[in-house]
Amino acid sequence: MIQTTSVENYLKTIFHHAGIGNNAVTTNEIAASLGTKAASVTEMLKKLSAQKLIRYKKYNGVTLTDSGTKQALLIVRKHRLWEYFLVEKLEFSWDEIHEVAEQLEHIQSEILVERLDSFLENPKFDPHGDPIPDKKGIIKKTDLQKLIDVTEKKEAIVNLVTDQPELLRYLSKIGISIGSKLRVIERNTFDQSMLLLINGKNKVQISAEIAHNISVQL
Amino acid sequence: MIQTTSVENYLKTIFHHAGIGNNAVTTNEIAASLGTKAASVTEMLKKLSAQKLIRYKKYNGVTLTDSGTKQALLIVRKHRLWEYFLVEKLEFSWDEIHEVAEQLEHIQSEILVERLDSFLENPKFDPHGDPIPDKKGIIKKTDLQKLIDVTEKKEAIVNLVTDQPELLRYLSKIGISIGSKLRVIERNTFDQSMLLLINGKNKVQISAEIAHNISVQL
DNA sequence: ATATATTTTTAGGCAAACCTAAATTTTATT
DNA sequence: AATAAAATTTAGGTTTGCCTAAAAATATAT
């Protein structure tokens, strides 16, 4: 089904805020991200829900359905391919591409996307290093890295955790789950323990032992 | 001023129907061309007029102002540059480009257009042979041809007529003026006279004598 | 646990761009 | 010139996506 530009922007925003774990996204987050008001978001969420693009329960935030995720991925694909085009072919610099790619991503033409992809020789990453989903919406997994190897100040997304029940229980207690965004604030050079900021909110100190068992994607 | 896609489409349509002579364009012509209803067109014409993009007098059709013409030319420029891109770089065939170029022409970014132009090495004609206006909206005049030299079935636009009062009077009587679209339906091989279709409406037979004195643009 | 603050939803409106049906103006025909 | 036909405009609606203000639900703090 062909969507309006507005619907596409909502799907894309929800997709980005949900992260890898497909966490629920709140009305206010969406409003802030799109520069609209919460009331407008609520209204649109009902429409998206009616189209089965999201799962929506009043006051509970939303998650993308498979269908919604697929559509979001195709928009992301288009956005990143156009960004690649702008930088590689039209000599745009990083700071100039966003606004234009935001427009180009809404052009409706499957054949255009595929021809562009071929013309660009099927790039796997956009100029920011973000992976470009393929035509089926599949993102090539970037190489995972152990959290212990992440340098200071960097932001990483939890992708995989060694399957040890105690560890998993502990992590959930301190608020880390698949998809959580971690920023390494500080590393203790003595014991290699690290101070993390979780999802931009809570600070937690974890031991090197634990950092060894968490895989992240940068 | 940044316009809506709809306003841009109206300007483009009026531009194309007005032809070289910037003739008045009727409400119905616009409606037919855009696939909307006459009532909707009237409404929009008021808006365009308020913005001084067209000259509009009730029941009298419209003409583009200089400002309106300039904006129309920039849309035409974008349309034709994108068409060139689609054919030359993405290997689209003629019949596939229209729909996509209709969308791409509305992308708002001056820098994008200029970079695209450079990337394509400043093409002067699109894949249909139509001239691409430059960034100031100036169209390089295509070489004029005498109507007598136009081959059968071709469509041509009247660009210049030898300045002979009798001829001009005669032509106006049979409905030919600067900007008229002529299609050569048939040529009489005996006397070189030709049967023309004028603006897709009236058929007229003209002598070789007259055809010698009309210059057209293909 | 209750009061306060925040978030989300509902209700009622607005602008753009479209529509149909009816009224008006212009054009064509006899 | 009067009438019929065609073109155009007006009047009153619809849909999409946004808004503000008020109400309801949830979260936070004492």
Side-chain angles (χ1 to χ4, degrees):
Chain A
M1 209 213 174
I2 287 172
Q3 304 293 352
T4 63
T5 293
S6 187
V7 166
E8 291 195 338
N9 283 332
Y10 274 88
L11 291 177
K12 196 182 54 157
T13 294
I14 295 167
F15 177 81
H16 282 133
H17 279 79
I20 292 172
N22 194 22
N23 307 306
V25 181
T26 68
T27 302
N28 265 1
E29 273 181 294
I30 298 169
S33 177
L34 291 173
T36 61
K37 294 304 164 74
S40 308
V41 174
T42 299
E43 192 178 295
M44 180 60 95
L45 294 184
K46 289 179 189 167
K47 288 179 197 165
L48 297 180
S49 180
Q51 281 191 61
K52 302 235 166 81
L53 295 168
I54 59 171
R55 278 175 287 270
Y56 171 55
K57 256 184 63 183
K58 274 191 198 176
Y59 299 101
N60 266 73
V62 295
T63 53
L64 289 171
T65 60
D66 285 355
S67 159
T69 302
K70 198 173 156 194
Q71 293 201 25
L73 279 162
L74 291 179
I75 300 158
V76 169
R77 168 171 169 75
K78 289 196 277 181
H79 183 96
R80 293 181 180 167
L81 280 173
W82 280 116
E83 283 195 338
Y84 188 93
F85 169 73
L86 293 174
V87 169
E88 294 297 319
K89 302 291 182 181
L90 299 197
E91 301 178 43
F92 274 63
S93 58
W94 283 14
D95 50 309
E96 301 170 316
I97 59 181
H98 188 73
E99 194 195 347
V100 180
E102 289 284 300
Q103 294 181 65
L104 288 165
E105 72 189 3
H106 300 294
I107 302 289
Q108 306 280 173
S109 166
E110 204 180 308
I111 183 174
L112 174 63
V113 183
E114 300 320 315
R115 293 268 166 90
L116 181 64
D117 191 28
S118 301
F119 174 61
L120 300 175
E121 298 176 70
N122 316 104
K124 295 290 170 276
F125 299 94
D126 77 6
H128 301 299
D130 294 314
I132 300 173
D134 71 14
K135 71 192 299 188
K136 291 195 169 155
I138 295 164
I139 290 187
K140 195 177 192 287
K141 280 255 169 50
T142 50
D143 292 332
L144 299 182
Q145 217 177 322
K146 287 188 176 171
L147 179 56
I148 192 72
D149 299 323
V150 175
T151 57
E152 225 165 302
K153 302 279 167 54
K154 283 255 174 171
E155 183 156 273
I157 294 168
V158 177
N159 199 284
L160 217 140
V161 176
T162 312
D163 191 13
Q164 293 172 320
E166 304 101 311
L167 175 63
L168 292 170
R169 244 178 280 127
Y170 175 66
L171 290 179
S172 97
K173 200 170 91 184
I174 63 175
I176 292 180
S177 60
I178 303 291
S180 296
K181 281 190 199 124
L182 307 180
R183 184 176 291 276
V184 181
I185 300 177
E186 219 177 83
R187 298 181 65 124
N188 185 325
T189 43
F190 276 114
D191 66 356
Q192 298 288 18
S193 72
M194 38 189 13
L195 181 63
L196 302 174
L197 182 69
I198 302 174
N199 290 324
K201 285 182 197 158
N202 312 313
K203 287 183 187 167
V204 171
Q205 186 87 27
I206 64 165
S207 69
E209 172 73 29
I210 288 173
H212 264 293
N213 288 285
I214 298 176
S215 290
V216 297
Q217 198 173 296
L218 293 183
Chain B
M1 210 214 174
I2 286 172
Q3 304 292 352
T4 62
T5 292
S6 187
V7 165
E8 291 195 339
N9 283 333
Y10 274 88
L11 291 176
K12 197 182 54 156
T13 294
I14 295 167
F15 177 80
H16 281 132
H17 279 80
I20 291 172
N22 194 22
N23 308 308
V25 180
T26 67
T27 302
N28 265 1
E29 274 181 293
I30 298 169
S33 177
L34 291 173
T36 61
K37 295 302 165 75
S40 308
V41 173
T42 299
E43 192 179 297
M44 180 61 96
L45 294 183
K46 288 179 189 168
K47 288 179 197 163
L48 297 180
S49 181
Q51 282 190 61
K52 303 234 165 81
L53 295 167
I54 59 171
R55 279 174 287 270
Y56 171 55
K57 254 183 66 182
K58 274 189 200 177
Y59 299 100
N60 267 73
V62 296
T63 53
L64 289 171
T65 60
D66 285 356
S67 160
T69 302
K70 198 174 157 195
Q71 293 201 25
L73 278 162
L74 291 179
I75 301 159
V76 170
R77 168 170 168 76
K78 290 196 277 182
H79 184 97
R80 293 181 179 167
L81 280 173
W82 281 116
E83 283 196 336
Y84 188 93
F85 169 73
L86 293 174
V87 169
E88 294 297 319
K89 302 292 182 179
L90 300 197
E91 302 178 42
F92 274 62
S93 58
W94 283 14
D95 51 309
E96 302 169 316
I97 59 183
H98 188 72
E99 194 196 346
V100 179
E102 289 284 300
Q103 295 181 63
L104 287 164
E105 73 189 2
H106 299 295
I107 302 289
Q108 306 280 175
S109 168
E110 204 179 310
I111 183 175
L112 173 63
V113 183
E114 299 322 315
R115 294 267 167 90
L116 181 64
D117 192 27
S118 300
F119 174 61
L120 301 175
E121 300 176 73
N122 316 105
K124 295 288 170 278
F125 300 93
D126 77 6
H128 301 299
D130 295 314
I132 299 174
D134 71 14
K135 70 193 298 189
K136 291 193 170 157
I138 295 164
I139 289 186
K140 194 175 193 283
K141 280 254 169 52
T142 49
D143 293 332
L144 299 183
Q145 218 176 321
K146 288 188 178 172
L147 180 55
I148 191 73
D149 300 322
V150 175
T151 57
E152 225 164 301
K153 302 280 166 54
K154 284 254 175 174
E155 183 156 271
I157 294 168
V158 176
N159 199 283
L160 218 141
V161 176
T162 314
D163 191 15
Q164 294 173 317
E166 305 102 309
L167 175 64
L168 292 171
R169 244 177 281 127
Y170 174 66
L171 290 180
S172 96
K173 199 170 93 185
I174 62 175
I176 292 180
S177 60
I178 303 292
S180 296
K181 281 190 198 124
L182 307 181
R183 183 176 292 276
V184 181
I185 300 177
E186 219 176 83
R187 297 181 66 123
N188 185 325
T189 44
F190 276 115
D191 65 356
Q192 299 288 15
S193 73
M194 39 187 16
L195 180 62
L196 301 175
L197 183 68
I198 303 174
N199 290 324
K201 284 181 197 157
N202 311 314
K203 287 183 187 170
V204 170
Q205 185 87 25
I206 64 166
S207 69
E209 172 75 29
I210 288 173
H212 265 293
N213 288 286
I214 298 177
S215 289
V216 297
Q217 198 174 298
L218 293 183

